[in-house]
Structure formats: C-alpha cells, structure tokens
Amino acid sequence: MAQGCPITGLEVALTDLQSSRNNVRHRTEEISVDRLVVRRGQAFSITLYFKNRGFQPGMDSIIFVTETGPLPDLAKGTRAVFSLTGSGGPSPWIASLEANRATSLEVSLCAPPMAAVGRYLLKIRIDSYQGSVTAYQLGEFILLFNPWCPGDAVYLDSEPQRQEYVMNDYGFIYQGSKSWILPCPWNYGQFEENIIDICLELLEKSLNFQVDPSTDCALRGSPVYTSRVVCAMINSNDDNGVLNGNWSENYLDGANPAEWTGSVAILKQWHATGCQPVRYGQCWVFAAVMCTVLRCLGIPTRVITNFDSGHDTDGNLIIDEYYDNSGRILENMKKDTVWNYHVWNECWMARKDLPPGYGGWQVLDATPQETSNGLYCCGPASVKAIKEGEVDLNYDTRFAFSMVNADCVSWLVYGGKEQKLHRDTATVGNFISTKSIQSDERDDITESYKYEEGSLQERQVFLKALQKLKSVRSQGPHQGDVNPFSSVPPRQDSSGSLDTPSLRPSDVIQVALKFELLDPPNMGQDINFVLLAVNMSPQFKDLKLNLSAQSLLHDGSPLAPFWQDVAFITLFPQEEKTYPCKILYSQYSQYLSTDKLIRISALGEEKSSPEKILVNKIITLTFPGIVINVLGAAFVNQPLTVQVVFSNPLSEPVEDCVLTLEGSGLFKKQQRVLIGVLKPHHKASITLKTVPFKSGQRQIQANLRSNKFKDIKGYRNVYVDIGL
C-alpha cells in the first residue's frame, strides 16, 4: 500500500454563485447584481471552493439538487437530482464541468426550458473515496421564463420585440376616445428594487397556491397557467389581490385611478400593508400592473386599448342599448355596455393546449368583469382565434370576441314598450392600439383582431361565432333578432367619425343627422357645436328633435343629464340645415366625471312617420399637459436638475394641488410635491434634483391633481449616460 497522507473527503469551503456575471448574461442585472436571477434553458456558472484539496474525477462524485416550493417532488418536477458527470439519471437539468483548478471547480448548470419558474434552493452532495458523504446548501436563485430560448414556450424570435415587451420599463396606455386618442405615460418599473420578490409573493397569495401549493408550483412551468394565476391576482374580487376596482366616482378612502402614473407604488403598497388590496384601480391600472408582473417574470407582454369596447353579459354577441325619448341613455336598463375604451394585455406564448396555429399573442384581461372557471380572470384567449371566430377555444375567447366584434342594437323605451331603433355592425371595436416597438408612436393592431368592418369575411366570422354559441347555449333577450345581415348597410365612415349616424339614405325617413364641434373642446371653456340635418328625400320634412347631454364614465355608464334642448327643423327636399348649440362651462363643470367625457344625443321624429332617428357624439375635454425640462446632460450617479412647468386651465382657483413624479432608474421612489392653491389660469414651475442610478433610455412621468381635476399628465424621455 502506498505511503503518504490518506485522501480525505472533499469539503466545500465557499460557493460563488457569480450573480453579477450570470445576471448580465441572463439580462437580469437590472433586477439585481447581488442575487442570482437566471432564465430557464440557458446555462449559468458557479464556482465551488474546497477546503482541503481539489476535485478528483475518478474519486469524487458530485450530485446537485434543485428544489422549489414548500413540497419539492421529483415526480412533479419541483425537485431535480443530477450529477456532474451526467450519469445521475433522467433529470432534464444539466451540470457540466467548466474548469477544474487546484482547490476550486467551475461548474455550468442549466434548467430545462420548461422548468417551473420561482425561487429555488441549490444543494450539493459529494460522495468521496472511502464512502465519505457530505451535503451542503449552496444558496438560492430565482428562475424566470426565457423569451431568448427557442425551447421556451414564451420564445420570441425578434430582438427589438424582446427589448420592448420584456425589457422596456416604461410605456404609454391609450385613453380618451377614438376621435381623440390620448397617450397616458406609465412607469412599469419591472426591474425596480423588490419588485421581483413582490411578483413571487403574488403567486404565493393566489387561491391556487393556498389550496394545493405542490401542484401550483409544479404548474408554474406553463405560461398559460402562470399568466392566468397572475390575471386573477391583479384584481381582488376572489382573493387578497393587488387592486380594488372602483367605478363609482367616490374615491375618498383611496386614490382616484386616474392619479396613478406607475405600477411600482401600487405593488409596494400592496406588499407593505400585508397584501391588502390597493384602492383603487380601473381597467388601465389593472392592465399596467399585470404588464409589470409578467414582464418581470419574463413573459413578453404589452398593454392594449380597444376603443368602443363591448361588454356582452348575456353571450349573444349583441350589445343592447336603451334610450328614452329625449335621447338619454337609460342606465338601469343596461346590462350590456359599450365602454368608451377598455384596456387589457396581450402576452406572447405557444399554445400546446390548442390546435396548431393559435399560439402567439394572447388576450389576458385582469379587470373583473365576468368569472372564468369560478375566478375573476379572462384569458389567455388567442388573438388569432378571436379573429377567426373560434369562440369555443380556451380561455374566454367568446367574451374577448364580443369586446371587439359584437353588434350594437339601440332600443327606444317608452310607455313600458321597447322599439328597435337600429342595428350597427361597426360600432364595437375600433382603433385597437398599443405602443410601437422602440418608439413613442401608437400602433393600430385592429386588423389582427378582426377582418375589415363591412367585409364579407367579417360577417362570415361573426356568423360562425354566433353559430358556435347557439350550439352551446339557449337564446338570450332579443336573440330572435340576430340576423347579422341587417337592413342597415355597413358604415362608410367607420374609420374616423365618432358619430353613430343611425339612418342612411336607404332608411325610412331619409334624413341624416350629425353633430359637429365648432371649436376644440378645452376644459374650462364653453362647448360650441351644431346639429347638421340633411334631407335626402324628394319630400318636405318636419322634424322635432330632443337634444341632451350627459357625462359618461369610460366604461359606458351614463351620469344624469345636465343639458337639454328641443329643436324644430323643417327641410325642403335635398335641403341641409344646421342647428347651433352651446353648453356653458357653468352647466357642465359640476357634472363632469374624472374621464372628462360628455355624450351629446339627439332623438328625432318626423310628423308623417312613426320611425325615430338617433344620433350621438362623445366629446373628450382636454387639458394642457405638464411640461418637463431636463436641465443638462444626464449621467449615472451625477445630480440632475429637472424643471416641471404646469398651469391651472380653469377660470377659477383650484385647491389641494399635488404634483407627483416618478421614473425607473431616475427616482428611487415616487416624488410628491404639495403645491396648494393655484389661481385661475396661473402658470407655475418647480425645480428639483435627482441622481440617476441606471443608464440607458429612461422616462419621467408626472401627474398634477387638485380638487377640480385629477389627472393632468406629462412625461419626458431622458437618456442617461454611464459617464466616466
């Protein structure tokens, strides 16, 4: 027997998870440089330092163990055991030797591209010569989805798209109306401090985890499953989700949804209060927060706005709207609604659970409208399936289809009876919008959701969807009247006009009505407009028109009318006349909702005909925005001066003015500046300093609120240089 020191068991003295180096390679360095955060399907390196000697391949056997969740299980894939030599069994996890030095070992580890995402423990077992066995806990790491990995279900093969839909931490959410589309700047902040921990906490607060944590963790390898869990957790209808929805206009015990400018403050408040739902959100806030969470987890996500969005409660693809004889919308009759705009998310993923061809962008809607399998979530529904009318495919494709492609039927209610006014096939689903890739422009993606309005294909898809629904449910109200080929021809002006001209030359009365604004509708000023009436018949016409105006919430809910008028117009054959109208600021100021939407309507009748004519227009009142000036060049860790210029647009003083500013990589937390009182039409500015802590393209978002208005917005893009 050879003389000398006996060979001792191999002992680990220190482990270097190489967090900084690995995180740069895995594009997670903005999340952290101190903690290991890696993406599945991509290798990462660790270094093991030994106490007494180096690793000897023939004598030492190293086995790695990874575990996630409270009950790690080999069979479920939440525990993996795999050896350095690759002979440790059937595990899809891989460990390979990179460098064997005198007293250290560099090893490459790789999670399979379908591994569950979440927080992992990394352990090691060393079997040495003469049977000595040692086990160590090496540390923790976080595993994310990987859109750069072709084997991952969220793989996206365009680098500009990955940069926009995973890495970009700011964007725009489109609001207003289809004739006045307003970009609202938003700070997603998915890489801000602690956001990754809050996102993982959100998964663990879900009902799925509470009921069966072992299965929930195992299913987190699926983006379909994970996105659905996140969708249910963004609202608080079933659980201690992130946001309470509120459409009441009463926000005294919370924040008006219009005041938010980013997701970070919302998520941090939810976490800090022991996961109590944050008050309050509406559709764009739900969608923005969900975008933050899913981008943080590595699922490509974008925020979508649909103007004139249908909410079909009875599943017949018909939105029924009820009016009284003054042209006023009757809220108490409305079960279905047309939202002035509605905001949801699209996430990019393969859909192995659907027939081929339905992967790609999927609709997810966290706004609590209808339940899905018992929970308030919606989706993922394939955008391709929506376009093709495949409303029976999972999940919630029927509801998503009705948001963009339901028909709208107007009813006149009088004397306890309902009279059908008209059917419009083109009202619902217009100017479907999202932020462009690597630009501040708006992309119109309507054609990805539906064929051109009025085309034969669009009607065929509608009929197909209707047929599929009829086979699974009984007829709902007014279902007998669902001939999609209605007597109303398709609108010729659906591309740009906000009016809903109910009667075309082929209609009985042969009179066309249209509202036209005479001036831009600026907040604080009177609204001047005309009602245009055109007689397209060879007969004399004697019209009586009831006009009204009422504020509107963006979800289509009307408030009480605050202005009414009656017009009598006589028209000779082929004659055109205008009837001038004015709504004073003093008439509308007390009745305006946060959404600043006013709906003007006219319901007309002609003496010789029982038919009615309805026309309406939605006006979005506008504010002058906040101007942000960056004084000088921006460098990391160098003071930067920011000037914010704002004004009171009203001819009356406003009180309780508060200015908020935020911006990922520029401000460590949201800045709040108490302004107090602003005199009528007074312009003011403040200057503040900040120290940017991240380089690259950044954005400052600002909001000014007062007792009279809640959401005067502004933004400024800033490029931050690394400097010396």
Side-chain angles (χ1 to χ4, degrees):
M1 192 174 187
Q3 294 299 307
C5 296
I7 294 176
T8 56
L10 192 62
E11 294 181 53
V12 176
L14 188 69
T15 309
D16 180 4
L17 296 180
Q18 299 187 30
S19 300
S20 179
R21 179 175 158 218
N22 283 318
N23 289 7
V24 169
R25 290 176 175 177
H26 285 251
R27 301 169 182 85
T28 61
E29 74 274 18
E30 279 207 37
I31 296 175
S32 177
V33 290
D34 306 319
R35 296 192 291 166
L36 184 59
V37 183
V38 293
R39 299 185 186 278
R40 61 191 195 171
Q42 181 179 341
F44 60 96
S45 301
I46 65 167
T47 306
L48 303 172
Y49 293 94
F50 303 112
K51 280 182 185 173
N52 47 347
R53 63 177 177 85
F55 170 72
Q56 296 186 15
M59 302 174 66
D60 302 313
S61 165
I62 294 182
I63 291 170
F64 290 95
V65 178
T66 57
E67 296 177 343
T68 186
L71 300 163
D73 186 330
L74 272 173
K76 289 188 171 178
T78 48
R79 184 171 193 263
V81 179
F82 52 106
S83 75
L84 184 56
T85 55
S87 59
S91 173
W93 288 70
I94 298 167
S96 52
L97 183 62
E98 283 196 331
N100 188 6
R101 302 186 182 92
T103 56
S104 69
L105 187 67
E106 190 161 325
V107 178
S108 170
L109 304 176
C110 188
M114 67 291 297
V117 300
R119 207 182 298 278
Y120 276 79
L121 267 181
L122 177 62
K123 299 177 181 179
I124 189 174
R125 196 179 82 209
I126 302 174
D127 295 1
S128 289
Y129 181 68
Q130 294 177 327
S132 92
V133 177
T134 49
Y136 302 90
Q137 191 166 300
L138 300 181
E140 283 191 0
F141 65 94
I142 292 171
L143 189 68
L144 302 178
F145 291 101
N146 191 354
W148 285 267
C149 172
D152 197 308
V154 301
Y155 174 64
L156 189 55
D157 65 1
S158 156
E159 181 59 19
Q161 288 194 354
R162 292 189 293 245
Q163 288 300 318
E164 183 65 53
Y165 302 133
V166 182
M167 302 302 291
N168 198 355
D169 60 9
Y170 67 86
F172 299 98
I173 301 166
Y174 296 97
Q175 299 175 335
S177 63
K178 68 182 173 192
S179 67
W180 192 271
I181 296 174
L182 301 168
C184 171
W186 196 271
N187 177 26
Y188 296 119
Q190 67 268 33
F191 304 130
E192 288 295 284
E193 195 176 9
N194 299 331
I195 292 299
I196 182 78
D197 301 296
I198 296 170
C199 293
L200 295 177
E201 180 180 29
L202 183 143
L203 294 178
E204 297 195 352
K205 293 294 178 188
S206 74
L207 289 179
N208 305 56
F209 183 85
Q210 303 297 325
V211 170
D212 186 351
S214 176
T215 302
D216 175 71
C217 288
L219 290 172
R220 288 184 195 167
S222 160
V224 174
Y225 175 82
T226 305
S227 63
R228 209 164 150 73
V229 169
V230 171
C231 190
M233 276 302 295
I234 296 298
N235 68 66
S236 60
N237 286 43
D238 311 292
D239 42 46
N240 270 13
V242 177
L243 280 157
N244 257 341
N246 185 344
W247 287 263
S248 72
E249 290 287 289
N250 177 8
Y251 310 112
L252 291 175
D253 57 346
N256 185 315
E259 293 174 29
W260 299 112
T261 49
S263 308
V264 177
I266 294 168
L267 287 166
K268 287 191 172 180
Q269 183 181 325
W270 177 73
H271 167 74
T273 57
C275 305
Q276 291 303 303
V278 175
R279 300 174 177 155
Y280 287 105
Q282 289 182 9
C283 65
W284 70 93
V285 189
F286 290 114
V289 173
M290 186 148 91
C291 183
T292 296
V293 174
L294 292 175
R295 283 186 184 180
C296 184
L297 294 175
I299 300 176
T301 305
R302 59 190 188 180
V303 176
I304 308 296
T305 302
N306 178 37
F307 291 95
D308 301 329
S309 190
H311 182 173
D312 170 28
T313 56
D314 46 22
N316 62 355
L317 302 186
I318 303 288
I319 307 289
D320 296 302
E321 294 203 307
Y322 298 89
Y323 295 81
D324 69 9
N325 57 11
S326 71
R328 174 173 71 108
I329 282 194
L330 299 171
E331 185 184 17
N332 60 341
M333 298 288 294
K334 284 170 67 110
K335 296 177 184 68
D336 297 345
T337 48
V338 177
W339 293 37
N340 205 51
Y341 66 88
H342 182 49
V343 183
W344 59 73
N345 298 96
E346 282 180 6
C347 300
W348 182 272
M349 63 187 73
R351 291 297 302 268
K352 302 278 171 54
D353 57 319
L354 299 182
Y358 293 105
W361 289 116
Q362 312 288 318
V363 168
L364 282 133
D365 187 353
T367 301
Q369 298 182 85
E370 303 288 323
T371 58
S372 171
N373 292 349
L375 291 178
Y376 276 95
C377 68
C378 176
S382 163
V383 172
K384 178 78 162 99
I386 294 165
K387 182 169 184 173
E388 299 301 334
E390 302 293 347
V391 293
D392 50 345
L393 294 181
N394 282 344
Y395 290 88
D396 312 302
T397 310
R398 189 277 305 163
F399 189 76
F401 181 90
S402 71
M403 292 196 291
V404 299
N405 215 2
D407 282 1
C408 198
V409 176
S410 300
W411 302 84
L412 175 65
V413 179
Y414 65 101
K417 294 180 180 174
E418 296 172 12
Q419 176 188 342
K420 182 177 169 185
L421 291 169
H422 71 274
R423 179 195 188 104
D424 197 323
T425 63
T427 293
V428 169
N430 293 291
F431 295 100
I432 303 175
S433 302
T434 194
K435 178 187 175 295
S436 291
I437 297 167
Q438 297 179 327
S439 130
D440 288 351
E441 298 304 307
R442 180 183 68 88
D443 258 1
D444 190 307
I445 57 167
T446 310
E447 46 75 20
S448 67
Y449 277 86
K450 57 186 189 178
Y451 292 100
E452 189 179 351
E453 286 290 358
S455 68
L456 183 59
Q457 273 177 309
E458 187 269 335
R459 285 291 91 185
Q460 285 172 336
V461 166
F462 185 90
L463 270 178
K464 183 211 283 188
L466 205 55
Q467 208 54 49
K468 283 177 179 283
L469 290 176
K470 275 185 173 176
S471 67
V472 294
R473 63 175 69 219
S474 57
Q475 293 193 344
H478 306 300
Q479 183 99 20
D481 177 30
V482 290
N483 171 20
F485 301 102
S486 127
S487 60
V488 179
R491 287 175 56 188
Q492 298 302 309
D493 63 339
S494 63
S495 61
S497 168
L498 224 201
D499 309 321
T500 314
S502 58
L503 295 178
R504 287 73 173 181
S506 60
D507 287 311
V508 179
I509 304 184
Q510 292 188 297
V511 171
L513 297 177
K514 186 178 182 180
F515 283 116
E516 288 181 352
L517 283 170
L518 299 177
D519 309 303
N522 293 323
M523 181 69 181
Q525 297 177 7
D526 300 342
I527 303 168
N528 292 296
F529 60 99
V530 295
L531 177 62
L532 178 69
V534 184
N535 181 4
M536 289 169 289
S537 79
Q539 280 88 39
F540 177 81
K541 297 288 180 184
D542 193 352
L543 301 175
K544 178 191 176 187
L545 298 149
N546 291 311
L547 295 95
S548 67
Q550 58 194 134
S551 278
L552 208 58
L553 305 185
H554 89 272
D555 68 355
S557 304
L559 303 181
F562 54 78
W563 174 87
Q564 289 182 315
D565 193 10
V566 179
F568 295 92
I569 300 177
T570 55
L571 293 167
F572 287 102
Q574 312 300 321
E575 189 182 9
E576 181 178 309
K577 275 187 182 174
T578 58
Y579 180 79
C581 305
K582 181 192 286 269
I583 302 175
L584 303 175
Y585 172 65
S586 59
Q587 289 177 294
Y588 73 75
S589 62
Q590 299 302 309
Y591 297 93
L592 210 53
S593 72
T594 308
D595 299 297
K596 301 180 292 295
L597 300 171
I598 293 175
R599 181 181 193 129
I600 47 176
S601 301
L603 187 72
E605 53 189 310
E606 207 269 325
K607 277 188 177 175
S608 61
S609 168
E611 297 294 321
K612 311 282 188 197
I613 325 170
L614 174 70
V615 65
N616 53 57
K617 184 179 185 71
I618 295 171
I619 298 167
T620 307
L621 293 163
T622 59
F623 282 120
I626 294 172
V627 176
I628 302 171
N629 299 314
V630 176
L631 309 180
F635 295 96
V636 173
N637 297 328
Q638 297 288 318
L640 180 68
T641 303
V642 177
Q643 182 194 45
V644 186
V645 183
F646 49 91
S647 59
N648 173 12
L650 306 180
S651 51
E652 57 184 315
V654 293
E655 300 170 357
D656 307 325
C657 296
V658 178
L659 180 73
T660 56
L661 280 102
E662 62 181 286
S664 286
L666 297 168
F667 299 98
K668 286 283 187 184
K669 63 177 186 178
Q670 191 181 64
Q671 308 293 303
R672 292 168 66 85
V673 184
L674 303 179
I675 307 294
V677 177
L678 274 177
K679 294 173 186 171
H681 300 295
H682 181 66
K683 194 173 192 177
S685 76
I686 63 154
T687 302
L688 44 87
K689 278 189 163 54
T690 188
V691 179
F693 54 96
K694 289 183 180 179
S695 62
Q697 192 66 45
R698 303 285 158 194
Q699 189 184 76
I700 301 170
Q701 300 90 9
N703 184 72
L704 179 68
R705 70 172 165 88
S706 73
N707 64 331
K708 296 285 183 186
F709 48 76
K710 300 299 175 191
D711 59 338
I712 294 185
K713 306 280 185 194
Y715 73 93
R716 180 64 183 259
N717 292 345
V718 183
Y719 186 80
V720 181
D721 224 320
I722 296 172
L724 297 173

